[in-house]
Structure formats: structure tokens, C-alpha cells
């Protein structure tokens, strides 16, 4: 009986509450939709009284937004820290390279009687649009056979070695870059003096192969052309050693491949060939020997020179 009586009173109360809620919502709708100055003042007063009391409801949202912003700020700080660590490693490598260059410069300053090759001049050409070739990494220059360009000469951009001439026309010539897969040049790693080959693989940092003692080479070491085989003049700056993501020694090229506008073609003439080793030894006629004077003792007790005809 008690359960039935509670059901009898609960149902009408629920219906009454639902009806009041619907009526309240309908009245609120009418209040916000009626366009009247009085109703507008009523809405303004209602907002002024009710909205400030809801500040406590916005506290969790404000805290959550603050936590998200703090996490994003921490993430940015972490990324900047990692970037600074990488730059610090690069600066250490550049510092060692600068020390090596300083030592090399001090040694070169002592060699003040070195005779440089006067024939090693250059011709500057403008890089043209590439019209296609068997090479993936190559450019065209507006200088050719009329300017005395010879196939195989080295090209630089003023900072470092870029490539070599591979194909000469009357007015243009093609330069195959060091990054091309067909490029192979002999190099030397300083200061260890290790010789190797720089092999292009169509990437911005070509790998180093045929290195005799890789343990003597460190990232940041200077790489120059070795001059082996007469391909390039010796001592041309190529770049610096770097460790690739594949744990292979690679060369970070000194030339700026992103802005190749002008290239210098080095006129490298072959050296004099020595056919006979004995021709290097120049024999000068010997001077006749001076007559030797033999001193003897004369009758007066003094020393007198004796000639070959004297018989004392």
C-alpha cells in the first residue's frame, strides 16, 4: 500500500515539475526574443546579476587552458634546448677546424719561398638553365671552347669546389656537380693526411669511400682535393667531414649549391712529364785542379814553395 501511495503522489509531481520547466524555458525564450526597450533593460539587468555569479564555473576551464599553454611552452623550450645543443656541437667542430686552419696558416707563413703556379688562372661564367643531360646533378655555363675551356677542368663558386667540366660546346659547357652519382674525385682529409674518394650519390652530402684509417678522421676535419691522377689541382677546398644519419662519413660541401649563379673554371695545365730520370741531374764540367804547393826548408832556414820541377 505504501508503494502504491508513493507512486500516486510522485507521478503528478514529476508532471508538475516538467510542466514548470517547459513553461520556464518558453518564457525565457520569449524574453530573449521580444524586441522591446523594457524587455531589453530587463535582459541587461538579468545578465548583470546572474553572469558574474558564474565565475566559479569558469575556474576549471581557465585552469585547463593554463595547463595546455604551459605544456606548449615547455615543449617549445625543450625544442630550443635541443637546437642549442646541436649548434653547440657544430660550434665545437668549427672551433677545432679553426684551430687546424690556424696551425696550417702558421706553417704556410713560414714557407715564404714557395713558388705558386702562375698558369692556374680562372674564367668566370654564368650558370644557365639546364636543358637536360645524362647527369642528374649538372648545370650549364655560358662559356665554352671559344673561351678556351677544356674538358675536365675544375669549377668553384668562390667558396669551394663545385664540380668539373664534362662536355664543351662552342659557346657553352656542362658542369657535372660533386653530388652527381657519376662523380668521383680524389680527396685528402686534413690534418690526418688520409686520402680517399668522394663519391656522389645525388645527396647534398656525398659519402667518403676507400678511406684507409677511418679512426683517424673526425667530424669537422677539412677536406681538400688531393691532386692524385691529375684530375684536379691539389689543395682546393671541398668541405668538412660530417657523420651522416646512416653512420657513414660524409662531406658537408663548402660550395653553396642553393645559389649557383656564377662559377669559376680553373685553367689547370698538366705538369711537365719527365721521360728520363737522368735528365733531372744536370752535370756541370768540373774545374781543373789547382796546382798544390809543397813547402820545403831552404838553406837560410825559411820555408820556400816547391814546384813539380824542384827536386830537393
Amino acid at each position: 500500500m505504501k508503494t502504491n501511495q508513493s507512486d500516486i503522489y510522485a507521478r503528478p509531481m514529476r508532471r508538475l515539475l516538467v510542466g514548470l520547466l517547459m513553461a520556464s524555458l518558453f518564457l525565457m525564450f520569449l524574453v530573449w526574443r521580444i524586441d522591446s526597450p523594457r524587455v531589453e533593460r530587463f535582459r541587461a539587468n538579468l545578465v548583470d546579476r546572474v553572469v558574474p555569479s558564474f565565475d566559479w564555473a569558469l575556474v576549471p576551464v581557465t585552469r585547463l587552458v593554463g595547463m595546455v599553454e604551459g605544456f606548449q611552452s615547455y615543449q617549445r623550450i625543450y625544442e630550443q634546448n635541443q637546437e642549442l645543443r646541436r649548434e653547440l656541437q657544430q660550434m665545437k667542430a668549427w672551433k677545432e677546424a679553426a684551430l687546424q686552419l690556424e696551425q696550417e696558416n702558421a706553417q704556410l707563413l713560414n714557407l715564404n719561398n714557395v713558388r705558386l703556379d702562375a698558369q692556374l688562372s680562372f674564367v668566370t661564367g654564368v650558370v644557365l638553365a639546364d636543358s637536360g643531360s645524362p647527369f642528374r646533378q649538372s648545370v650549364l655555363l655560358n662559356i665554352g671552347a671559344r673561351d678556351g675551356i677544356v674538358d675536365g677542368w675544375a669549377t668553384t663558386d668562390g667558396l669551394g669546389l663545385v664540380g668539373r667540366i664534362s662536355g664543351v660546346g662552342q659557346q657553352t659547357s656542362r658542369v657535372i656537380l660533386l653530388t652527381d652519382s657519376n662523380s668521383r674525385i680524389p680527396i685528402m682529409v686534413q690534418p690526418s693526411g688520409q686520402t680517399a674518394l668522394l663519391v656522389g650519390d645525388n645527396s647534398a652530402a656525398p659519402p667518403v669511400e676507400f678511406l684507409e684509417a677511418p679512426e683517424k678522421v673526425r667530424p669537422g676535419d677539412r677536406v681538400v682535393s688531393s691532386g692524385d691522377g691529375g684530375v684536379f689541382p691539389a689543395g682546393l677546398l671541398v668541405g668538412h667531414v660530417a657523420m651522416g644519419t646512416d653512420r657513414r662519413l660524409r662531406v658537408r660541401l663548402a660550395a653553396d649549391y642553393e645559389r649557383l649563379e656564377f662559377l669559376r673554371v680553373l685553367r689547370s695545365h698538366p705538369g711537365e712529364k719527365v721521360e728520363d730520370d737522368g735528365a733531372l741531374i744536370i752535370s756541370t764540367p768540373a774545374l781543373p785542379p789547382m796546382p798544390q804547393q809543397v813547402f820545403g826548408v831552404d838553406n837560410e832556414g825559411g820555408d820556400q814553395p816547391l814546384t813539380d820541377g824542384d827536386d830537393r
Side-chain angles (χ1 to χ4, degrees):
M1 294 296 294
K2 293 182 180 181
T3 304
N4 294 336
Q5 289 180 357
S6 61
D7 293 340
I8 292 173
Y9 290 109
R11 290 179 182 178
M13 290 298 295
R14 284 199 298 266
R15 293 176 182 176
L16 179 60
L17 292 176
V18 172
L20 291 176
L21 180 61
M22 295 296 293
S24 301
L25 293 176
F26 182 72
L27 290 175
M28 187 179 297
F29 175 77
L30 291 179
V31 167
W32 289 102
R33 297 295 298 176
I34 294 175
D35 188 7
S36 173
R38 293 182 179 180
V39 178
E40 181 65 27
R41 287 195 297 270
F42 174 75
R43 285 199 297 263
N45 294 330
L46 182 63
V47 170
D48 292 339
R49 289 179 176 275
V50 175
V51 171
S53 62
F54 279 94
D55 291 339
W56 60 270
L58 298 177
V59 172
V61 179
T62 306
R63 295 289 179 86
L64 182 61
V65 172
M67 291 176 60
V68 173
E69 292 178 353
F71 178 78
Q72 292 177 351
S73 177
Y74 174 80
Q75 186 176 5
R76 288 193 297 268
I77 293 175
Y78 177 78
E79 294 175 354
Q80 293 176 359
N81 189 16
Q82 295 298 320
E83 183 66 24
L84 290 175
R85 289 178 181 272
R86 289 191 292 268
E87 292 180 358
L88 181 60
Q89 292 294 114
Q90 294 178 358
M91 290 299 296
K92 289 182 178 179
W94 282 111
K95 178 182 177 181
E96 296 196 3
L99 292 176
Q100 295 171 7
L101 291 177
E102 184 179 0
Q103 295 175 358
E104 182 181 359
N105 189 24
Q107 295 175 357
L108 292 177
L109 288 177
N110 294 327
L111 301 177
N112 54 2
N113 293 325
V114 175
R115 181 180 181 276
L116 299 178
D117 188 2
Q119 295 181 341
L120 190 58
S121 59
F122 61 86
V123 181
T124 303
V126 179
V127 176
L128 304 176
D130 196 348
S131 60
S133 70
F135 309 111
R136 294 186 59 184
Q137 305 286 337
S138 65
V139 295
L140 289 177
L141 297 180
N142 65 339
I143 51 178
R146 65 177 183 180
D147 304 293
I149 304 300
V150 177
D151 197 7
W153 280 358
T155 59
T156 65
D157 68 342
L159 297 176
L161 189 63
V162 173
R164 59 180 173 83
I165 300 295
S166 180
V168 180
Q170 189 63 28
Q171 301 179 1
T172 59
S173 57
R174 182 174 297 281
V175 177
I176 174 175
L177 304 181
L178 299 181
T179 55
D180 189 85
S181 58
N182 296 307
S183 176
R184 304 286 189 278
I185 65 167
I187 59 173
M188 177 183 292
V189 182
Q190 297 177 344
S192 61
Q194 296 290 315
T195 57
L197 278 182
L198 182 66
V199 180
D201 61 349
N202 297 323
S203 65
V208 178
E209 293 186 358
F210 303 106
L211 196 62
E212 294 182 359
E215 65 277 1
K216 297 182 180 180
V217 178
R218 297 179 301 173
D221 287 353
R222 193 166 182 259
V223 179
V224 298
S225 59
S226 64
D228 295 338
V231 180
F232 290 138
L236 297 178
L237 178 62
V238 177
H240 296 82
V241 177
M243 183 64 69
T245 56
D246 53 356
R247 309 304 298 173
R248 296 177 63 186
L249 290 177
R250 294 179 175 268
V251 175
R252 186 185 299 109
L253 300 177
D256 188 1
Y257 278 72
E258 298 296 330
R259 294 183 296 178
L260 292 180
E261 299 179 0
F262 302 94
L263 292 182
R264 294 177 178 178
V265 182
L266 302 181
R267 294 192 182 102
S268 54
H269 300 278
E272 181 182 0
K273 293 183 179 180
V274 180
E275 302 293 344
D276 186 9
D277 295 340
L280 293 177
I281 304 176
I282 301 176
S283 59
T284 57
L287 296 177
M290 298 294 293
Q292 297 180 355
Q293 294 180 352
V294 180
F295 291 90
V297 180
D298 57 1
N299 296 329
E300 289 78 8
D303 294 338
Q304 296 293 332
L306 298 178
T307 59
D308 295 338
D310 294 337
D311 192 6
R312 293 187 179 182

